[in-house]
Amino acid sequence: MRNLIIAIVVVCLGAIIYLVFNFFVFERQKPVFQSHSSLPTHWNLQDDLSLHFSDASGIRSYSVEVLLDSQILFSQNEVVLNKPKTFALSLPKPLTELKDGTTLLYKVCVNDWSNTNFFAGNTTCVDVSLVIDTSAPQIEILARSPKISRSGSAFVLFKVKDIALDSVTLSNGKNEFRAFKHTFKDITLAPDEAVYGAFIAWPLENVLFEGSIRAVDKAANKSQILLHFPKNLNVPIRKSNIRLKPEFLESKLRSLLDQISDVRYDEFADDRERFLFINEQARSKDSNQILEATTTTISNKSYISFGISPFAALKNAIIVGYFGDERSYYLDKNLVSVAYHMGLDLASVRNAPIFASNGGVVILRQYLGLHGNTAVIYHGFGLSSLYAHMSDSMLKVGDEVESGDIIGYTGSSGWAFGDHLHLEILVQGHAVSVQEWTNPKWVEDNINAVFEQAHRRLLERVSF
């Protein structure tokens, strides 16, 4: 029994000694490299680049080698005496001038203060490849719309030259817009060149427009040029007063609340509260869903190759509501709410077929509060079209449509006073004047002519 106790004590002491030496004296955890995922692939040699390490026992030393084609350009070794738990190592910049496109390999090793490995400590080594890129992107406008109007939109095609482009955006001074690559099939550009295009909006709520294009490459080099458009500040705003009849509200609000909300009809005090809920909260929810669909689900694929057709969704239609209308709603002679109409209302016969004017893909198809049965089709370059108040539609998200396909049928679903189509045109979530997009001359001058001018300009250079 005594021998067994002695054996157990010896084993326990051995375990304790092992733990002490391995976890305190001979700690075996290597320094942790913390910044690999955030490192760029290209370097402009202006910004400082740092590698970050951490270790519980502290950082003892580091070494750096800079290699070009397996030849060592620079080497450095240094002891870190203050034993920092975290350590930032700034990569040394090459002492000689190097051409853009040159790849440097940084071999970095960091050692800690552990007594393991015969008191040499633990070591972490990392290799970092960086392409030298000191040149900012070059932006050249190829063609653009001749002007832009407040509440309207414009189109621009431009060329960007850079060896490692990262992002291209447009701005109207307040809102940003993605740019999209465009390829002319009969034109081949240099490997470091690409054509980009985008629609840009001047939303009704923005008083000013200051256009610009900004390009940033993977080395964080930036370029920005102004996008000059002659501007039309005049916006035709029509004001209309709408009297809400109690019998209409009772029938319409009851069915709407049953379809779109968890709140029951009887939970509101009166029709005024019910209408405010529909016209403001449901409208806001609609807007958020449409914004998400037209900004986050759009892809780089474009259904616009060399132009677009005017939007003519209904045959023999008349306009019963204009874009930008300021609508004041009254109940019992009291002003209840004011809203702006962000689409074009078109009426024809009851349950009239709605036709696609341009190809695209369905990015939203559901019942929305005010809009009722709704479909949103994405066409390309950030452009989408919305069709609301439909009585029926067989489309579903992901369906591709071609010009002439039936989108659905007019109706009075949602907040509608009668059978009609509510048509919206959206540029990356911003509703713009539909009257422009239904006007053949405007479409030809502001969209199709831009494609033709840019193509001709590039073709002349290739031929030369």
Side-chain angles (χ1 to χ4, degrees):
M1 184 68 179
R2 181 182 177 185
N3 291 336
L4 178 62
I5 294 174
I6 292 173
I8 292 173
V9 170
V10 170
V11 170
C12 291
L13 287 174
I16 292 172
I17 292 171
Y18 176 83
L19 290 172
V20 168
F21 272 79
N22 278 274
F23 291 95
F24 295 98
V25 178
F26 294 136
E27 179 263 323
R28 297 179 183 276
Q29 295 296 320
K30 292 182 178 182
V32 178
F33 177 44
Q34 298 179 318
S35 59
H36 195 279
S37 61
S38 62
L39 283 176
T41 57
H42 294 66
W43 193 9
N44 58 25
L45 299 181
Q46 298 296 317
D47 300 330
D48 291 330
L49 291 185
S50 297
L51 306 185
H52 296 269
F53 298 85
S54 64
D55 191 89
S57 65
I59 303 299
R60 181 200 300 258
S61 62
Y62 70 87
S63 66
V64 180
E65 285 186 348
V66 184
L67 290 81
L68 172 61
D69 296 331
S70 301
Q71 299 296 315
I72 298 177
L73 296 182
F74 175 85
S75 64
Q76 178 181 348
N77 296 274
E78 187 171 331
V79 176
V80 185
L81 297 176
N82 60 348
K83 300 183 179 181
K85 306 293 184 186
T86 60
F87 179 67
L89 172 60
S90 294
L91 296 181
K93 298 176 182 178
L95 301 178
T96 58
E97 186 174 343
L98 299 173
K99 293 181 179 180
D100 283 355
T102 301
T103 300
L104 294 179
L105 175 62
Y106 284 78
K107 301 182 76 68
V108 178
C109 290
V110 173
N111 184 256
D112 67 11
W113 281 94
S114 169
N115 292 320
T116 192
N117 296 322
F118 297 101
F119 302 96
N122 301 294
T123 302
T124 294
C125 293
V126 295
D127 290 351
V128 179
S129 292
L130 293 169
V131 179
I132 303 302
D133 181 6
T134 62
S135 301
Q138 299 176 32
I139 307 171
E140 178 191 0
I141 296 176
L142 299 171
R144 60 164 177 78
S145 299
K147 65 178 181 180
I148 190 168
S149 300
R150 185 180 172 193
S151 81
S153 49
F155 184 55
V156 59
L157 283 169
F158 55 97
K159 182 166 65 72
V160 183
K161 180 181 176 67
D162 193 88
I163 63 172
L165 198 60
D166 186 47
S167 66
V168 185
T169 56
L170 287 76
S171 174
N172 60 16
K174 183 177 180 181
N175 315 108
E176 284 199 347
F177 302 83
R178 278 177 57 192
F180 301 84
K181 273 188 177 182
H182 180 65
T183 302
F184 290 105
K185 294 182 179 179
D186 57 343
I187 295 177
T188 301
L189 299 175
D192 60 348
E193 295 181 333
V195 173
Y196 285 82
F199 294 106
I200 186 170
W202 184 355
L204 182 63
E205 63 269 21
N206 294 7
V207 177
L208 301 176
F209 180 94
E210 297 296 336
S212 63
I213 302 174
R214 178 182 174 89
V216 181
D217 66 19
K218 293 180 180 179
N221 298 302
K222 306 175 182 67
S223 292
Q224 181 168 312
I225 65 171
L226 295 179
L227 186 55
H228 294 291
F229 288 105
K231 303 168 191 174
N232 178 17
L233 290 166
N234 297 321
V235 182
I237 299 294
R238 296 171 175 81
K239 296 187 178 183
S240 58
N241 298 328
I242 299 176
R243 306 290 176 180
L244 301 170
K245 297 180 179 181
E247 58 272 19
F248 172 79
L249 287 178
E250 183 178 359
S251 62
K252 196 69 175 177
L253 291 176
R254 188 181 294 276
S255 61
L256 273 179
L257 288 171
D258 287 344
Q259 288 178 300
I260 69 170
S261 175
D262 294 332
V263 181
R264 294 183 302 172
Y265 179 88
D266 295 334
E267 292 181 25
F268 295 92
D270 52 29
D271 283 345
R272 180 180 181 279
E273 285 191 5
R274 297 183 187 100
F275 174 74
L276 284 174
F277 178 84
I278 293 293
N279 199 49
E280 295 178 5
Q281 294 190 42
R283 184 185 298 276
S284 177
K285 185 177 179 180
D286 281 14
S287 298
N288 290 334
Q289 289 178 278
I290 294 167
L291 177 64
E292 181 179 3
T294 54
T295 55
T296 62
T297 63
I298 58 177
S299 66
N300 291 323
K301 182 176 180 179
S302 176
Y303 296 82
I304 304 170
S305 58
F306 208 85
I308 198 168
S309 298
F311 283 84
L314 282 185
K315 294 180 179 179
N316 303 317
I318 61 170
I319 299 175
V320 294
Y322 288 87
F323 175 89
D325 283 357
E326 182 183 301
R327 294 178 173 178
S328 300
Y329 294 91
Y330 288 84
L331 181 61
D332 296 329
K333 297 183 180 180
N334 297 316
L335 179 64
V336 180
S337 183
V338 178
Y340 285 91
H341 185 242
M342 304 310 289
L344 189 68
D345 286 344
L346 301 166
S348 179
V349 297
R350 185 180 298 274
N351 293 329
I354 303 166
F355 297 98
S357 301
N358 295 279
V361 60
V362 180
I363 58 174
L364 185 147
R365 172 68 189 96
Q366 68 183 81
Y367 192 101
L368 300 178
L370 265 77
H371 292 76
N373 286 320
T374 303
V376 178
I377 298 174
Y378 177 67
H379 303 284
F381 294 102
L383 180 72
S384 303
S385 56
L386 177 148
Y387 308 82
H389 302 314
M390 293 186 296
S391 60
D392 189 23
S393 174
M394 300 301 293
L395 295 177
K396 61 182 183 298
V397 171
D399 285 349
E400 293 190 346
V401 300
E402 297 180 357
S403 177
D405 288 352
I406 293 180
I407 295 169
Y409 299 87
T410 61
S412 56
S413 60
W415 186 247
F417 291 88
D419 187 290
H420 72 284
L421 167 67
H422 173 87
L423 173 65
E424 287 187 27
I425 302 296
L426 301 114
V427 174
Q428 296 191 39
H430 299 278
V432 293
S433 173
V434 189
Q435 287 92 306
E436 290 183 341
W437 292 90
T438 57
N439 184 334
K441 187 177 189 317
W442 185 90
V443 170
E444 182 61 32
D445 293 345
N446 289 270
I447 311 299
N448 299 343
V450 175
F451 279 102
E452 294 172 4
Q453 291 168 17
H455 179 257
R456 184 169 58 250
R457 188 169 182 179
L458 288 171
L459 200 59
E460 288 172 353
R461 296 181 183 181
V462 172
S463 301
F464 180 79

